[in-house]
Amino acid sequence: MIGAMRGRWHPAVSTRVFVAQVALLLVVAVVGSAAFVWAERDRTDDDARERTTAVAVAIATAPSTAEALTSPDPTALLAPETDAVSHATGMDFIVVMAPDRTRYTHANPARIGGRFTGTVDRALRGETFTEEYTGSLGPSIRAVTPVYDEDGVLIGLVSAGVTRARLADQVRRVIPIVAVVVLVGLAVSVGVALLLERRLRRQTLGLTPDALRELYEHHDAVLHAIAEGMIVFDDAAPDGPAAVVNDEARRLLDLPDGPIMRADLPASLRGDDDLVDEVHISGDRVLLANRQAVTGAVQRIGTVLTVRDRTDLQEVLGELDAVRSLANALSAQAHEHANRMHSVVTMIELGRRDDAVDFATQQLTSSQGLVDQLASAADPAVTALVVAKVAEAAAVGVEVTVADGADLVGGPLTAAESLTAVGNLVDNAVDAAGVDGWVEVDAGIVDGQWSLRVLDSGPGMSDEEFERARERGYSTKAGLDRIHGRGQGLALLSRLAQRRGGTLTVHRDPSTVELVLPRDTEEN
């Protein structure tokens, strides 16, 4: 069975369409030619009836015909005249006869004097009529009309006719012309069909109907099965509706059922420029977006947008970044403490014991003061993070302080969320403050809501920069910073604020980023 299937001919869609077109053209050509020939036969018959009637009436009403019929020898007078008229008008016979059917003229002289074999009853009643009749010359179309004398008395009949053989010759003379026209038209039509077949073959890649069906089914199954959201816009309709929208794209972007326009997408995804692994915020999801042009053989034909859900991963990366930052800060602090201990040991070795005690006491008092300040104002992990950040910032020439009365434990954040929020905001502020700058961390209850504020001496962010950072993530640095999540802190905090019904805002003079959350809230 399989061998039989392999041996069968499986033409491409374009070939099937071409064969169907050619078959249709042949049917139309044959049927059209037959219909034309049939119509030409009917037209020839109608023309024959009109001509035979005209000739018969003309001869019957001629005065010479009535005079000849009343003469002693009608044939001698009528035969030459009817022969001349027959040749002039293309009649096969003109028979002038007496009312009793006796022929006075005939195309075959041997039949003169015999009886006319056609129908004459209606003519004898005064009618002129035509009929198809098989007479002595074979099948013919003939007209029969009465002849009257001056007194109106019927004195004879005239019949003029054309044989079917002559009419068939007339139709056959048309057939070659029809055949040439049909063949030329058929050749042109087949040529056009061949061009269409080649174009269709290129467009369908020479695939068979079964292959196209399978390709569509596989394509549809893959679109619905892949974990990425995909939206394809055709350049022929750049504003939509989208040519392809899979289920995952509708879920990730909260798109409605039915056709999707560009305006239905989040504002940050409505462009047509290329995107490569760019973070976007859509509702409560963190998405990784890619967009690129689709180019055909000669020109661009559309754009493909893919989105991946990075929400859980981004949260883990944010927490990991906070832990990494804490580890780096602790490492810097340990290095600083090692330097201080080296200084103390050196002073002791030099015999300057009092100076060593004063130096160690001063450093201990400074660190202990910050720890004592945060002991009741922050979680131990947050306290360790802030102390480490202070040392890390001091190493790059930035002074980090905690405002008097700051309350980092009175908010609704978990310990992990507090690490992420404080770590990201302090890192951003230190980067913005620059050398010889300052950063201040403050938190507490303001107007019944918990507020976390980080101020710095930097220039602050414009509304456009903040919007970009809040929706997509933003960093002035590249490379590993982007890979490890730097630049995504404000995006994560914006999502956190949205999830908990709070707000994230920026201010200038001084540069401030503020996270405001309702007290004692649970995640939505």
Side-chain angles (χ1 to χ4, degrees), residues 145-350:
T145 187
V147 180
Y148 298 97
D149 61 9
E150 293 179 355
D151 297 328
V153 178
L154 191 147
I155 59 175
L157 303 172
V158 176
S159 176
V162 179
T163 61
R164 275 289 178 196
R166 180 187 290 272
L167 295 177
D169 288 340
Q170 292 179 6
V171 174
R172 279 193 291 270
R173 285 195 295 269
V174 176
I175 291 177
I177 300 175
V178 175
V180 170
V181 173
V182 169
L183 290 176
V184 171
L186 190 61
V188 172
S189 300
V190 171
V192 173
L194 184 60
L195 294 177
L196 293 176
E197 188 272 343
R198 291 181 178 177
R199 178 178 177 84
L200 185 58
R201 179 178 291 273
R202 289 195 301 269
Q203 292 177 336
T204 59
L205 304 178
L207 298 175
T208 65
D210 290 340
L212 284 175
R213 177 183 55 78
E214 292 177 1
L215 182 63
Y216 170 78
E217 291 176 350
H218 294 165
H219 173 269
D220 190 62
V222 168
L223 282 178
H224 288 81
I226 60 176
E228 290 188 0
M230 176 180 291
I231 302 177
V232 179
F233 284 99
D234 192 343
D235 274 3
D239 295 327
V244 175
V245 182
N246 70 348
D247 296 340
E248 187 67 6
R250 293 183 187 273
R251 185 184 72 84
L252 293 178
L253 299 176
D254 294 325
L255 299 176
D257 295 334
I260 299 301
M261 307 296 181
R262 282 191 189 270
D264 295 324
L265 301 180
S268 61
L269 295 176
R270 293 176 187 171
D272 59 358
D273 54 316
D274 288 348
L275 300 179
V276 179
D277 289 341
E278 186 169 292
V279 175
H280 289 253
I281 304 299
S282 176
D284 61 349
R285 296 186 180 93
V286 179
L287 304 178
L288 199 62
N290 286 271
R291 182 170 55 219
Q292 62 182 13
V294 179
T295 305
V298 296
Q299 63 181 1
R300 168 174 160 160
I301 59 177
T303 56
V304 176
L305 171 67
T306 60
V307 290
R308 299 197 300 273
D309 193 350
R310 202 184 179 189
T311 304
D312 295 338
L313 177 61
Q314 191 65 40
E315 290 181 349
V316 173
L317 288 176
E319 295 176 5
L320 177 61
D321 188 62
V323 174
R324 182 186 291 109
S325 178
L326 175 58
N328 292 336
L330 291 175
S331 176
Q333 189 177 32
H335 181 70
E336 183 180 359
H337 284 314
N339 290 335
R340 291 172 180 174
M341 289 300 297
H342 182 71
S343 298
V344 171
V345 172
T346 302
M347 289 180 184
I348 293 174
E349 290 176 348
L350 293 175

Side-chain angles (χ1 to χ4, degrees), residues 438-492:
W438 57 265
V439 173
E440 182 179 78
V441 180
D442 192 8
I445 304 301
V446 177
D447 296 331
Q449 293 182 309
W450 184 79
S451 170
L452 171 62
R453 298 175 298 281
V454 177
L455 298 76
D456 63 74
S457 58
M461 299 179 68
S462 66
D463 293 339
E464 293 77 10
E465 290 174 327
F466 174 67
E467 190 65 23
R468 180 182 176 189
R470 189 177 65 83
E471 290 190 359
R472 305 186 187 185
Y474 175 73
S475 176
T476 58
K477 299 184 178 183
L480 292 178
D481 285 344
R482 293 288 290 182
I483 295 175
H484 292 307
R486 290 290 291 272
Q488 309 306 324
L490 291 182
L492 289 174

Side-chain angles (χ1 to χ4, degrees), residues 21 29 38 44 52 68 74 94 149 201 214 243 300 319 348 398-399 422 460 487 513:
Q21 287 178 324
W38 188 267
T44 302
T52 55
I94 297 177
D149 61 9
R201 179 178 291 273
E214 292 177 1
R300 168 174 160 160
E319 295 176 5
I348 293 174
V398 178
E399 181 185 7
V422 174
V513 179

